[in-house]
Amino acid sequence: MIKAVRGTRDLLPPETALWNFVEAAVRDVFRTYNFHEIRTPIFESTELFARGVGEETDIVSKEMYTWEDRGRAASEKGQMLTLRPENTAGVVRAYIEHKLWDHGLNKLYYIGPQFRRERPQKGRYRQFYQIGAEVLGPASSGSQRPLRDAEVLEMLATLLDRLRIKDWTLEINSVGSSKDRAAYNEVLRKALDPLAPMMCTDCQRRAVTNPLRVFDCKVPADQVIIEGLPRISDYLDSESREHFENVQALLRAAKVEFKINHRLVRGLDYYTRTAFEFTHGALGAQNAILGGGRYDGLSEALGGPPAPGIGFAMGEDRLILALQELMPTISKAPDAYIAPLGEGMNRQAIRLAAELRRQNLVIELGDRSFKLGKLLETAAKLGARYAVIVGENEVASNIFALKNLATGEQVDVPRTELAKKIQT
Ligand code: HAM
């Protein structure tokens, strides 16, 4: 038997109804905050992620699905391509490619699959879905201002409340400007020098190549050492400090609760200043429901003009896991089941079904080769509220037997009034 590949999964009904519910709700919230949808390709050139996300990150160094495309001629070397592990680099590439700075401030959102070769477990998949948004533009559009950070965070609090997710915690930090980061990286490198030999092999490598990435370490034994390392907040310049204070003041004004986490640096290299994560208690080990932050230098790193930006991505799979605890299913049962009886009645039934569906009713269609008993049994199993019996007498008189499947009560209803009667 051929099975879905490890770390990928089929999303089946009724769960897909919950996915649709979530996507409709987030699209509605994005609309009221004046965000517009962007769809970028699912694969991009490998270089985009190497330069955007950072060579030394876990994502780029070990989790990407990368392959060499075929060259046009047999002798020609093919381009290196990668299934996108995240969507921010793709959005910034599109911003540069289509000169979106002409629009001033861009508020863009996306919903779609991402791919990372991580060890699969509950809440962690190799194909997973993100709902994300990015706010970016030239400095003249105000994209670097703390108000934009606060607006994104306030929108997220609204979104989670709207989805009735209650037990979330917002943690924020500032990872400073790229200059602050460089200075802090040196401090870390020195601090790690005597400590690294006691740490895991990944950390020993990170201590030399990109010390900040030590904070991504999940090895329990390393955590005491990590806890004792210098804090980035002590190495922020006055502008980054002021930016962070302004974001906090705006969040208080918007009544968005948050905690400061000095260890939060996020696992991607493009972050500057504000970094944040929302966690949710019910999710266990994979409790980060979403993460994001500012990436003021990313456009330049990808060869574009300065375009400060901030954004986030929410793990839709994790969001659904949290929601399943609250509302296991929301799929809609049919309003009515059409039960055709007797010769030629399928033709009548398919016409009646189309008529009722045009009035926005959910209709399931039975087949006259089954007996009435079997038809009613199927209707009940589907959870249909009504069965409409379509027999020769009904068609001749244009009056149909409508059976309420919960009470068993049956009434005769003229064709023109059927939809109204089913709706009530
Ligand atoms: P990230 O923290 O790598 O950030 O991913 C964001 C969210 O995607 C995580 O908080 C988690 O909920 C979900 N996620 C990540 N990996 C998996 C996985 N293997 N299985 C299930 N869910 C997963 C980014 O991707 C950035 N692009 C976010 C961003 C946007 N920053 C600025 N703009």
Side-chain angles (χ1 to χ4, degrees), residues 86 88 116 118 123 125 130 134 266 270-271 288-289 311-312 315:
E86 63 99 54
T88 309
R116 294 184 194 175
E118 293 192 84
Y125 310 99
Q130 282 187 343
E134 312 293 347
R266 309 262 308 125
Y270 49 61
Y271 289 115
I289 202 161
F312 70 87

Side-chain angles (χ1 to χ4, degrees), residues 339-349 352 368 372 388-401 415:
L341 299 176
E343 248 346 279
M345 285 307 122
N346 275 357
R347 271 175 265 164
Q348 300 295 336
L352 183 63
R368 79 138 197 99
L372 182 61
V388 184
I389 296 162
V390 181
E392 275 166 33
N393 294 342
E394 278 84 359
V395 171
S397 63
N398 245 352
I399 295 174
F400 292 83
R415 186 177 197 121

Side-chain angles (χ1 to χ4, degrees), residues 152-167:
V152 164
L153 289 166
E154 188 279 319
M155 175 171 78
L156 283 165
T158 298
L159 192 65
L160 293 175
D161 286 345
R162 164 92 179 256
L163 291 170
R164 282 174 271 156
I165 295 209
K166 292 268 176 320
D167 314 321

Side-chain angles (χ1 to χ4, degrees), residues 30 110 131-134 152 155-156 276 290-293 310-314:
F30 283 141
Y110 47 82
I131 297 171
E134 312 293 347
V152 164
M155 175 171 78
L156 283 165
F276 59 85
L290 70 91
I310 179 158
F312 70 87
M314 173 157 16

Side-chain angles (χ1 to χ4, degrees), residues 190-220:
K190 287 213 179 79
L192 282 166
D193 208 29
L195 301 170
M198 293 179 271
M199 301 176 83
C200 69
T201 48
D202 275 345
C203 281
Q204 292 180 20
R205 196 193 66 241
R206 291 163 175 151
V208 181
T209 53
N210 191 347
L212 197 70
R213 296 275 65 94
V214 162
F215 292 105
D216 301 339
C217 177
K218 304 259 164 20
V219 175

Side-chain angles (χ1 to χ4, degrees), residues 160-379:
L160 293 175
D161 286 345
R162 164 92 179 256
L163 291 170
R164 282 174 271 156
I165 295 209
K166 292 268 176 320
D167 314 321
W168 52 263
T169 308
L170 164 59
E171 296 186 352
I172 59 173
N173 194 16
S174 175
V175 297
S177 65
S178 56
K179 266 211 328 264
D180 302 337
R181 292 263 302 263
Y184 178 63
N185 252 323
E186 274 323 299
V187 172
L188 267 186
R189 206 186 299 275
K190 287 213 179 79
L192 282 166
D193 208 29
L195 301 170
M198 293 179 271
M199 301 176 83
C200 69
T201 48
D202 275 345
C203 281
Q204 292 180 20
R205 196 193 66 241
R206 291 163 175 151
V208 181
T209 53
N210 191 347
L212 197 70
R213 296 275 65 94
V214 162
F215 292 105
D216 301 339
C217 177
K218 304 259 164 20
V219 175
D222 288 359
Q223 300 309 309
V224 231
I225 299 176
I226 292 169
E227 197 46 46
L229 291 171
R231 290 176 167 189
I232 197 161
S233 51
D234 295 329
Y235 298 88
L236 300 182
D237 63 19
S238 58
E239 281 177 33
S240 292
R241 210 179 290 272
E242 193 185 324
H243 184 96
F244 194 36
E245 274 159 19
N246 274 322
V247 172
Q248 292 174 52
L250 286 163
L251 288 178
R252 279 188 213 102
K255 300 205 164 20
V256 177
E257 281 184 37
F258 63 90
K259 277 195 218 155
I260 294 177
N261 176 353
H262 294 287
R263 302 287 156 206
L264 182 77
V265 296
R266 309 262 308 125
L268 302 93
D269 277 351
Y270 49 61
Y271 289 115
T272 55
R273 297 196 168 156
T274 315
F276 59 85
E277 255 170 30
F278 281 71
T279 53
H280 187 262
L283 287 173
Q286 303 306 317
N287 68 352
I289 202 161
L290 70 91
R294 205 162 248 298
Y295 43 85
D296 291 349
L298 180 55
S299 174
E300 288 108 305
L302 297 176
I310 179 158
F312 70 87
M314 173 157 16
E316 193 175 356
D317 308 74
R318 295 185 190 176
L319 186 67
I320 299 283
L321 278 174
L323 276 177
Q324 272 168 336
E325 309 230 323
L326 298 171
M327 36 173 153
T329 167
I330 54 160
S331 76
K332 192 171 178 327
D335 293 305
Y337 185 89
I338 296 197
L341 299 176
E343 248 346 279
M345 285 307 122
N346 275 357
R347 271 175 265 164
Q348 300 295 336
I350 199 169
R351 270 172 45 195
L352 183 63
E355 255 172 62
L356 296 175
R357 286 167 176 155
R358 256 177 254 134
Q359 314 223 35
N360 209 25
L361 291 171
V362 180
I363 303 294
E364 187 49 80
L365 187 55
D367 188 315
R368 79 138 197 99
S369 63
F370 298 128
K371 298 237 154 28
L372 182 61
K374 168 107 192 261
L375 288 169
L376 293 179
E377 202 181 292
T378 312

Side-chain angles (χ1 to χ4, degrees), residues 8-207:
T8 73
R9 60 205 181 114
D10 302 307
L11 303 173
L12 305 171
E15 189 187 322
T16 39
L18 203 49
W19 286 71
N20 283 322
F21 163 79
V22 163
E23 288 170 16
V26 300
R27 282 179 197 280
D28 204 41
V29 171
F30 283 141
R31 182 180 59 79
T32 61
Y33 284 76
N34 198 29
F35 277 76
H36 299 276
E37 187 173 7
I38 181 168
R39 300 190 192 196
T40 63
I42 277 170
F43 60 90
E44 300 264 4
S45 75
T46 306
E47 194 191 349
L48 173 69
F49 303 112
R51 273 165 60 185
V53 177
E55 298 269 14
E56 197 45 49
T57 58
D58 280 355
I59 295 178
V60 174
S61 67
K62 43 187 182 192
E63 295 171 359
M64 295 203 307
Y65 286 98
T66 295
W67 70 100
E68 187 187 326
D69 202 9
R70 272 188 226 165
R72 257 173 279 169
S75 57
E76 200 186 339
K77 222 175 138 17
Q79 192 185 3
M80 294 309 292
L81 301 176
T82 294
L83 287 182
R84 63 183 187 194
E86 63 99 54
N87 213 166
T88 309
V91 168
V92 176
R93 181 207 37 78
Y95 172 88
I96 299 167
E97 190 167 332
H98 304 287
K99 300 187 171 50
L100 295 184
W101 50 84
D102 287 344
H103 300 206
L105 191 69
N106 291 269
K107 295 168 102 177
L108 304 167
Y109 79 88
Y110 47 82
I111 301 178
Q114 318 291 333
F115 305 85
R116 294 184 194 175
R117 202 177 174 285
E118 293 192 84
R119 197 167 48 78
Q121 64 180 78
K122 188 176 176 202
R124 197 208 273 150
Y125 310 99
R126 290 181 167 180
Q127 173 170 337
F128 60 97
Y129 293 79
Q130 282 187 343
I131 297 171
E134 312 293 347
V135 181
L136 79 166
S140 59
S141 70
S143 58
Q144 76 287 17
R145 308 276 305 146
L147 180 69
R148 301 274 75 111
D149 309 37
E151 186 188 29
V152 164
L153 289 166
E154 188 279 319
M155 175 171 78
L156 283 165
T158 298
L159 192 65
L160 293 175
D161 286 345
R162 164 92 179 256
L163 291 170
R164 282 174 271 156
I165 295 209
K166 292 268 176 320
D167 314 321
W168 52 263
T169 308
L170 164 59
E171 296 186 352
I172 59 173
N173 194 16
S174 175
V175 297
S177 65
S178 56
K179 266 211 328 264
D180 302 337
R181 292 263 302 263
Y184 178 63
N185 252 323
E186 274 323 299
V187 172
L188 267 186
R189 206 186 299 275
K190 287 213 179 79
L192 282 166
D193 208 29
L195 301 170
M198 293 179 271
M199 301 176 83
C200 69
T201 48
D202 275 345
C203 281
Q204 292 180 20
R205 196 193 66 241
R206 291 163 175 151

